[in-house]
Amino acid sequence: MVTLVVEPPGRVASRVAGIVETYVASAPLPRLGLATGGTMLDVYETLIQHWREGRVDFSRSTAFLLDEYVGLDRQHAQSYRNVIRYTFTSHVDFRLGSVIGPDGIATDPVAEAHRYEQKLRAAPVGLQLLGIGRNGHIAFNEPGSHHDTKTRVVSLSPDTRRANSRFFHSLADVPTQAITQGISTILKAHHIVLVARGEGKARALEAALLGDVSRTVPGSALQGHSNVTVVADAAAARYLS
Ligand code: PGA
């Protein structure tokens, strides 16, 4: 079931942060799924601010990343492990070793994807933060991905590489492959919070939530989940009413 919450643009982050904080305070051992991407930046800023004010505590939480580029070395600022560290987890009180993601420089990325899948299957995520691409992708599951996919190595679409090149010196520097949780892996999370802002996401959100459930729109798989909350601003939600 999908619940839609529309907030003014300036209230999206605090609404999402509130959902995270309620979950973290109530779960005995919180298992948070974290997403990278511009949409989440002020969500993380809000959580950091609230942590400084003593309103939330991550010391009992474990965090799991959705995806990771293949081939970026451990120091690379754009590896998702580092992005999430710099933008969120290093500023609050996650314990050492409690932020977990696929290893993008594993010697055998296929085996690494399998290992990560097993880890997530053994104990699913409780609350998953999720963005959506303009093309309807979720994590690095691009259009055409089966909804029963598991964590695996994928090739990035030209669109996605172009969109992400803003974080790199040039398009040529953007990796061509990633390890991503599969669609079925993401759907194992007990509660998924999909966050979308701005007109650029409006058609993707419409297709994901109101369109046919199909491989053309990976986000449409969310229609089969029992507990999805969509937090969007009016621009992103404009075709949903
Ligand atoms: P964005 O990316 O938050 O940078 O818009 C979301 C996504 O592509 O999943």
Side-chain angles (χ1 to χ4, degrees), residues 36-40 131-133 137 139 166 201:
T36 50
T39 305
M40 297 301 164
I132 187 164
H137 74 201
R166 67 191 194 273
K201 298 294 176 73

Side-chain angles (χ1 to χ4, degrees), residues 36-37 65 67-87 101-105 140 167-168 173 175 177:
T36 50
L65 303 193
D67 43 19
E68 180 60 278
Y69 290 117
V70 169
L72 294 186
D73 68 55
R74 287 221 186 280
Q75 317 307 328
H76 200 292
Q78 291 309 322
S79 84
Y80 283 174
R81 191 180 288 240
N82 286 331
V83 169
I84 214 74
R85 195 174 282 159
Y86 301 147
T87 58
D103 180 359
I105 54 165
F140 277 131
F167 300 116
F168 291 81
D173 292 333
Q177 289 190 313

Side-chain angles (χ1 to χ4, degrees), residues 7 31 85 94 103 111 117 134 145 159 161 170 182 195 211 230:
E7 291 281 4
R31 294 172 69 81
R85 195 174 282 159
F94 279 97
D103 180 359
E117 174 75 18
R134 286 164 184 252
S145 301
D159 270 1
R161 289 189 67 240
S170 72
V195 189
V230 177

Side-chain angles (χ1 to χ4, degrees), residues 159-206:
D159 270 1
T160 296
R161 289 189 67 240
R162 227 181 346 265
N164 291 7
S165 67
R166 67 191 194 273
F167 300 116
F168 291 81
H169 291 305
S170 72
L171 181 59
D173 292 333
V174 184
T176 56
Q177 289 190 313
I179 296 174
T180 184
Q181 287 190 33
I183 296 177
S184 78
T185 322
I186 295 169
L187 294 186
K188 289 278 178 220
H190 295 301
H191 182 192
I192 297 175
V193 180
L194 178 67
V195 189
R197 251 187 294 226
E199 189 159 359
K201 298 294 176 73
R203 286 296 178 197
L205 210 53
E206 177 191 30

